Amino acid sequence: MLITDDFLPVPVPESLDATYLVPITGLPKVSPKTAVERLAGRLAEPVHGLARQMLDSPLMTVDTRTVDEFPELPPDLLTAFGATEEQLARLAAATHLVVVQAEYRPGWPPAHEWAARAVAAAVAETVGGDVVDVFGLQFLDPAAALRSLPDEQGRIRLVDWVLVPYSSDSDGLWFTTKGLRRFGLLELQAQGVPDHLTRAWGAVMTGAARRLLRDWTDGLTGEEVPAFVQLPVLATVTGHDIAVAYGNPEQHGATAPVLLRLELDPATDPDADSFLSLNPPPGHPGPPGRYFAAACATLFNGIQPDVRYTRTGDAMSRAVETARAALGDIRARFLAGRLPEESQLVVKYGLPGDDGPEYVWAGVTSWDTPERIVAASASDANTDPSVRIGSPVVVEASDVVDWAVLDGTGVLEGGWTQAVLDAGERGED
């Protein structure tokens, strides 16, 4: 096996398995094979045929067991991964579980996952029940489970298969993925992520997962399953990776790529998971969190600092007035948790300088009072050396000239002053 400083050998498991449950009351009245046949015309043929073939092979088993025969699923973890009270109540009332299990070799397509989820969704649809993804500890309604399966071109949204949970420690946020092991790849982790990057960095992790999963499956295309796959130590992540992972390839824009250094973090406990850690590239000065913030700023291009003046009555003045008029509404939506999932609210405010104000962006972390916003800087300021990427800042609402809601594809809402600046650079009126 060739080992170089440019590649990291990652071990490949001999086989992979998937387990899905369908909680029911009583016994099922329709066989799994009949339930799958009813999906004809609704499920893309590659997966529909795969599910039928797996059902007829020893690679899949479908059993009905009493609830007592299966280990209890932890309600607290199910809740943490999105279970509703109604779903938990149906699980508690169930007398039996239809258990769908499949096994397959590592590689693409992941036949064990696609076929098992399709069969479980077909069964759940016939009984009006739920699908429980045991690996992800997630409830799925049958329609959502079917939507997550590949289309006619074999495309999926990776966010339907890989979650990015995070927790807080003394150094910042600890992010991990949960779902790459479905495909045989070790889960990713990143530590020391600034608190204000919860949504942005989650999108970066998802994009990194997409890029590394592609490299991983490219290494598994031979007839024999190799013992190791060589992954690049320096992984390149682009806005396109993030957009594709979220199922929006046409919205990726033209952002610059960022580099992340891959490092194997083997578990010392045999029952614990090993990780692939994402770190800044070699030679990066300062703490990792600063690089992570810079990476987010690069990938979510379109929110840049500027030092330009506004003139009363011009387009920039109108943009500022529009943004300020909507501050109360966006604050209310932020506090109520009504912003889109995987999005981040940022505000633009002015810093005094000898040559006029410098306008910088900051990610909102809290906004308890209307007059004051607690945030983290999204860029380094030229006029104030204390304002650096990731540093905490307190912004007076009266100093705000713009705001925007961002996700992995760019600006979802707001950004009026940036639009004026961009139009000026293009020579538009």
Side-chain angles (χ1 to χ4, degrees):
M1 178 182 61
L2 178 64
I3 300 177
T4 72
D5 293 338
D6 297 328
F7 292 91
L8 182 69
V10 179
V12 180
E14 293 183 2
S15 64
L16 302 172
D17 59 77
T19 301
Y20 290 84
L21 309 177
V22 181
I24 59 175
T25 301
L27 297 174
K29 296 179 173 59
V30 175
S31 72
K33 189 172 294 186
T34 300
V36 170
E37 290 294 342
R38 291 177 178 178
L39 294 178
R42 298 172 49 208
L43 193 59
E45 185 47 44
V47 180
H48 192 219
L50 181 65
R52 296 198 312 270
Q53 293 170 22
M54 293 279 279
L55 268 173
D56 290 332
S57 79
L59 296 174
M60 177 180 285
T61 60
V62 182
D63 299 320
T64 300
R65 309 180 194 175
T66 63
V67 170
D68 296 338
E69 294 180 76
F70 199 88
E72 182 182 5
L73 296 173
D76 54 340
L77 290 180
L78 288 169
T79 300
F81 287 111
T84 66
E85 292 184 4
E86 292 79 7
Q87 290 168 331
L88 292 173
R90 287 195 292 270
L91 176 62
T95 60
H96 292 77
L97 298 171
V98 177
V99 183
V100 182
Q101 294 179 302
E103 182 180 1
Y104 202 64
R105 56 161 279 174
W108 201 264
H112 59 298
E113 283 287 351
W114 289 358
R117 185 174 286 198
V119 172
V123 172
E125 194 172 67
T126 65
V127 298
D130 305 299
V131 176
V132 181
D133 171 13
V134 173
F135 179 92
L137 285 176
Q138 274 191 303
F139 275 90
L140 302 170
D141 67 71
L146 293 173
R147 283 196 303 270
S148 71
L149 294 167
D151 61 15
E152 290 78 4
Q153 285 75 44
R155 298 172 301 190
I156 61 168
R157 296 191 333 149
L158 193 61
V159 291
D160 293 329
W161 298 89
V162 176
L163 305 175
V164 186
Y166 62 88
S167 59
S168 181
D169 59 27
S170 58
D171 297 323
L173 298 177
W174 174 37
F175 278 78
T176 62
T177 59
K178 185 176 178 60
L180 288 176
R181 281 196 296 113
R182 301 179 190 272
F183 312 105
L185 181 59
L186 297 178
E187 302 291 357
L188 306 181
Q189 70 171 357
Q191 296 175 287
V193 179
D195 291 350
H196 74 285
L197 296 178
T198 52
R199 289 170 175 167
W201 188 253
V204 175
M205 290 279 288
T206 306
R210 184 259 176 184
R211 172 55 63 96
L212 290 170
L213 183 58
R214 184 173 180 177
D215 293 337
W216 174 255
T217 54
D218 284 348
L220 296 171
T221 55
E223 292 185 6
E224 299 294 329
V225 177
F228 295 87
V229 167
Q230 301 272 15
L231 293 180
V233 169
L234 288 180
T236 302
V237 182
T238 67
H240 178 70
D241 291 316
I242 295 172
V244 171
Y246 281 85
N248 299 308
E250 70 283 354
Q251 298 180 13
H252 65 85
T255 61
V258 299
L259 290 176
L260 294 169
R261 178 171 55 88
L262 210 59
E263 183 177 333
L264 180 62
D265 184 12
T268 55
D269 184 343
D271 295 327
D273 292 330
S274 297
F275 286 95
L276 292 172
S277 295
L278 299 178
N279 300 302
H284 173 72
R290 184 169 183 181
Y291 182 80
F292 296 154
C296 290
T298 298
L299 289 170
F300 306 132
N301 189 24
I303 297 300
Q304 301 292 337
D306 68 82
V307 291
R308 311 181 195 198
Y309 293 96
T310 63
R311 299 186 301 276
T312 302
D314 66 7
M316 184 63 77
S317 180
R318 292 193 297 271
V320 173
E321 291 174 1
T322 301
R324 284 178 169 167
L327 270 182
D329 176 69
I330 195 62
R331 173 178 180 264
R333 289 162 55 197
F334 173 80
L335 294 176
R338 290 190 283 112
L339 298 182
E341 292 185 8
E342 308 296 338
S343 67
Q344 170 74 28
L345 175 63
V346 294
V347 294
K348 185 181 187 180
Y349 66 104
L351 293 171
D354 293 338
D355 298 322
E358 177 185 9
Y359 295 103
V360 294
W361 292 90
V364 178
T365 55
S366 64
W367 199 345
D368 295 336
T369 61
E371 300 82 12
R372 184 168 298 168
I373 304 166
V374 179
S377 182
S379 61
D380 293 344
N382 296 323
T383 55
D384 188 340
S386 68
V387 178
R388 290 293 177 262
I389 290 177
S391 64
V393 293
V394 177
V395 180
E396 298 297 325
S398 57
D399 292 334
V400 172
V401 297
D402 202 355
W403 57 265
V405 178
L406 310 177
D407 73 353
T409 63
V411 179
L412 295 177
E413 184 180 354
W416 293 276
T417 63
Q418 192 66 42
V420 172
L421 292 174
D422 292 344
E425 290 176 356
R426 294 191 299 268
E428 298 175 7
D429 294 333

